[in-house]
PDB file of all heavy atoms in Angstrom:
ATOM      1  N   GLY E 144     -20.209  -9.238 -18.485  1.00 83.00           N
ATOM      2  CA  GLY E 144     -20.081  -8.067 -19.382  1.00 83.00           C
ATOM      3  C   GLY E 144     -21.332  -7.654 -20.125  1.00 83.00           C
ATOM      4  O   GLY E 144     -21.289  -6.896 -21.105  1.00 83.00           O
ATOM      5  N   SER E 145     -22.503  -8.174 -19.659  1.00 82.00           N
ATOM      6  CA  SER E 145     -23.715  -7.861 -20.354  1.00 82.00           C
ATOM      7  C   SER E 145     -24.188  -6.458 -20.139  1.00 82.00           C
ATOM      8  O   SER E 145     -25.103  -5.961 -20.768  1.00 82.00           O
ATOM      9  CB  SER E 145     -24.759  -8.848 -19.913  1.00 82.00           C
ATOM     10  OG  SER E 145     -25.062  -8.744 -18.543  1.00 82.00           O
ATOM     11  N   TRP E 146     -23.625  -5.803 -19.159  1.00 83.00           N
ATOM     12  CA  TRP E 146     -24.043  -4.399 -18.835  1.00 83.00           C
ATOM     13  C   TRP E 146     -23.445  -3.384 -19.825  1.00 83.00           C
ATOM     14  O   TRP E 146     -23.840  -2.191 -19.869  1.00 83.00           O
ATOM     15  CB  TRP E 146     -23.638  -4.050 -17.366  1.00 83.00           C
ATOM     16  CG  TRP E 146     -22.152  -3.986 -17.224  1.00 83.00           C
ATOM     17  CD1 TRP E 146     -21.369  -5.044 -16.909  1.00 83.00           C
ATOM     18  CD2 TRP E 146     -21.306  -2.853 -17.267  1.00 83.00           C
ATOM     19  NE1 TRP E 146     -20.057  -4.681 -16.775  1.00 83.00           N
ATOM     20  CE2 TRP E 146     -20.020  -3.299 -17.008  1.00 83.00           C
ATOM     21  CE3 TRP E 146     -21.504  -1.527 -17.516  1.00 83.00           C
ATOM     22  CZ2 TRP E 146     -18.880  -2.405 -17.017  1.00 83.00           C
ATOM     23  CZ3 TRP E 146     -20.392  -0.651 -17.481  1.00 83.00           C
ATOM     24  CH2 TRP E 146     -19.116  -1.137 -17.204  1.00 83.00           C
ATOM     25  N   ILE E 147     -22.458  -3.821 -20.647  1.00 85.00           N
ATOM     26  CA  ILE E 147     -21.887  -2.933 -21.618  1.00 85.00           C
ATOM     27  C   ILE E 147     -22.720  -2.961 -22.897  1.00 85.00           C
ATOM     28  O   ILE E 147     -22.816  -3.944 -23.575  1.00 85.00           O
ATOM     29  CB  ILE E 147     -20.390  -3.313 -21.902  1.00 85.00           C
ATOM     30  CG1 ILE E 147     -19.623  -3.364 -20.617  1.00 85.00           C
ATOM     31  CG2 ILE E 147     -19.791  -2.450 -22.982  1.00 85.00           C
ATOM     32  CD1 ILE E 147     -18.222  -3.822 -20.745  1.00 85.00           C
ATOM     33  N   GLN E 148     -23.277  -1.825 -23.252  1.00 87.00           N
ATOM     34  CA  GLN E 148     -24.042  -1.712 -24.417  1.00 87.00           C
ATOM     35  C   GLN E 148     -23.510  -0.488 -25.224  1.00 87.00           C
ATOM     36  O   GLN E 148     -23.124   0.533 -24.648  1.00 87.00           O
ATOM     37  CB  GLN E 148     -25.561  -1.525 -24.136  1.00 87.00           C
ATOM     38  CG  GLN E 148     -26.130  -2.790 -23.458  1.00 87.00           C
ATOM     39  CD  GLN E 148     -27.580  -2.574 -23.187  1.00 87.00           C
ATOM     40  OE1 GLN E 148     -28.170  -1.513 -23.378  1.00 87.00           O
ATOM     41  NE2 GLN E 148     -28.238  -3.692 -22.757  1.00 87.00           N
ATOM     42  N   TRP E 149     -23.513  -0.564 -26.576  1.00 89.00           N
ATOM     43  CA  TRP E 149     -22.909   0.493 -27.308  1.00 89.00           C
ATOM     44  C   TRP E 149     -23.590   1.808 -27.133  1.00 89.00           C
ATOM     45  O   TRP E 149     -22.865   2.854 -27.138  1.00 89.00           O
ATOM     46  CB  TRP E 149     -22.877   0.068 -28.809  1.00 89.00           C
ATOM     47  CG  TRP E 149     -24.281   0.110 -29.431  1.00 89.00           C
ATOM     48  CD1 TRP E 149     -25.117  -0.922 -29.546  1.00 89.00           C
ATOM     49  CD2 TRP E 149     -24.847   1.217 -30.094  1.00 89.00           C
ATOM     50  NE1 TRP E 149     -26.253  -0.494 -30.193  1.00 89.00           N
ATOM     51  CE2 TRP E 149     -26.108   0.786 -30.552  1.00 89.00           C
ATOM     52  CE3 TRP E 149     -24.421   2.514 -30.323  1.00 89.00           C
ATOM     53  CZ2 TRP E 149     -27.006   1.686 -31.199  1.00 89.00           C
ATOM     54  CZ3 TRP E 149     -25.263   3.386 -30.949  1.00 89.00           C
ATOM     55  CH2 TRP E 149     -26.602   2.988 -31.429  1.00 89.00           C
ATOM     56  N   GLN E 150     -24.857   1.888 -27.026  1.00 90.00           N
ATOM     57  CA  GLN E 150     -25.518   3.197 -26.924  1.00 90.00           C
ATOM     58  C   GLN E 150     -25.157   3.824 -25.545  1.00 90.00           C
ATOM     59  O   GLN E 150     -25.063   5.101 -25.478  1.00 90.00           O
ATOM     60  CB  GLN E 150     -27.047   3.055 -27.043  1.00 90.00           C
ATOM     61  CG  GLN E 150     -27.783   2.223 -26.072  1.00 90.00           C
ATOM     62  CD  GLN E 150     -27.935   0.812 -26.391  1.00 90.00           C
ATOM     63  OE1 GLN E 150     -27.189   0.308 -27.258  1.00 90.00           O
ATOM     64  NE2 GLN E 150     -28.917   0.173 -25.881  1.00 90.00           N
ATOM     65  N   ASN E 151     -25.005   3.079 -24.509  1.00 89.00           N
ATOM     66  CA  ASN E 151     -24.600   3.687 -23.191  1.00 89.00           C
ATOM     67  C   ASN E 151     -23.163   4.164 -23.271  1.00 89.00           C
ATOM     68  O   ASN E 151     -22.835   5.236 -22.700  1.00 89.00           O
ATOM     69  CB  ASN E 151     -24.815   2.647 -22.103  1.00 89.00           C
ATOM     70  CG  ASN E 151     -26.218   2.200 -21.940  1.00 89.00           C
ATOM     71  OD1 ASN E 151     -27.101   2.905 -22.352  1.00 89.00           O
ATOM     72  ND2 ASN E 151     -26.402   1.103 -21.315  1.00 89.00           N
ATOM     73  N   VAL E 152     -22.305   3.401 -23.955  1.00 90.00           N
ATOM     74  CA  VAL E 152     -20.910   3.836 -24.121  1.00 90.00           C
ATOM     75  C   VAL E 152     -20.821   5.122 -24.961  1.00 90.00           C
ATOM     76  O   VAL E 152     -20.124   6.054 -24.592  1.00 90.00           O
ATOM     77  CB  VAL E 152     -20.058   2.740 -24.734  1.00 90.00           C
ATOM     78  CG1 VAL E 152     -18.635   3.230 -25.002  1.00 90.00           C
ATOM     79  CG2 VAL E 152     -19.992   1.549 -23.754  1.00 90.00           C
ATOM     80  N   ALA E 153     -21.560   5.193 -26.018  1.00 90.00           N
ATOM     81  CA  ALA E 153     -21.534   6.383 -26.857  1.00 90.00           C
ATOM     82  C   ALA E 153     -22.178   7.516 -26.161  1.00 90.00           C
ATOM     83  O   ALA E 153     -21.644   8.684 -26.271  1.00 90.00           O
ATOM     84  CB  ALA E 153     -22.391   6.092 -28.124  1.00 90.00           C
ATOM     85  N   GLY E 154     -23.190   7.333 -25.347  1.00 91.00           N
ATOM     86  CA  GLY E 154     -23.736   8.463 -24.541  1.00 91.00           C
ATOM     87  C   GLY E 154     -22.791   8.945 -23.533  1.00 91.00           C
ATOM     88  O   GLY E 154     -22.752  10.115 -23.177  1.00 91.00           O
ATOM     89  N   SER E 155     -22.044   8.035 -22.935  1.00 90.00           N
ATOM     90  CA  SER E 155     -21.103   8.546 -21.896  1.00 90.00           C
ATOM     91  C   SER E 155     -19.922   9.342 -22.459  1.00 90.00           C
ATOM     92  O   SER E 155     -19.321  10.144 -21.735  1.00 90.00           O
ATOM     93  CB  SER E 155     -20.513   7.294 -21.144  1.00 90.00           C
ATOM     94  OG  SER E 155     -19.706   6.523 -21.984  1.00 90.00           O
ATOM     95  N   PHE E 156     -19.619   9.213 -23.750  1.00 91.00           N
ATOM     96  CA  PHE E 156     -18.657  10.034 -24.383  1.00 91.00           C
ATOM     97  C   PHE E 156     -19.148  11.457 -24.680  1.00 91.00           C
ATOM     98  O   PHE E 156     -18.356  12.254 -25.158  1.00 91.00           O
ATOM     99  CB  PHE E 156     -18.126   9.413 -25.682  1.00 91.00           C
ATOM    100  CG  PHE E 156     -17.136   8.268 -25.470  1.00 91.00           C
ATOM    101  CD1 PHE E 156     -17.428   6.993 -25.899  1.00 91.00           C
ATOM    102  CD2 PHE E 156     -16.009   8.504 -24.771  1.00 91.00           C
ATOM    103  CE1 PHE E 156     -16.525   5.989 -25.693  1.00 91.00           C
ATOM    104  CE2 PHE E 156     -15.047   7.526 -24.536  1.00 91.00           C
ATOM    105  CZ  PHE E 156     -15.312   6.265 -25.004  1.00 91.00           C
TER     106      PHE E 156
END
Side-chain angles (χ1 to χ4, degrees):
S145 63
W146 64 277
I147 301 174
Q148 295 181 354
W149 71 268
Q150 63 269 23
N151 297 339
V152 174
S155 67
F156 281 122

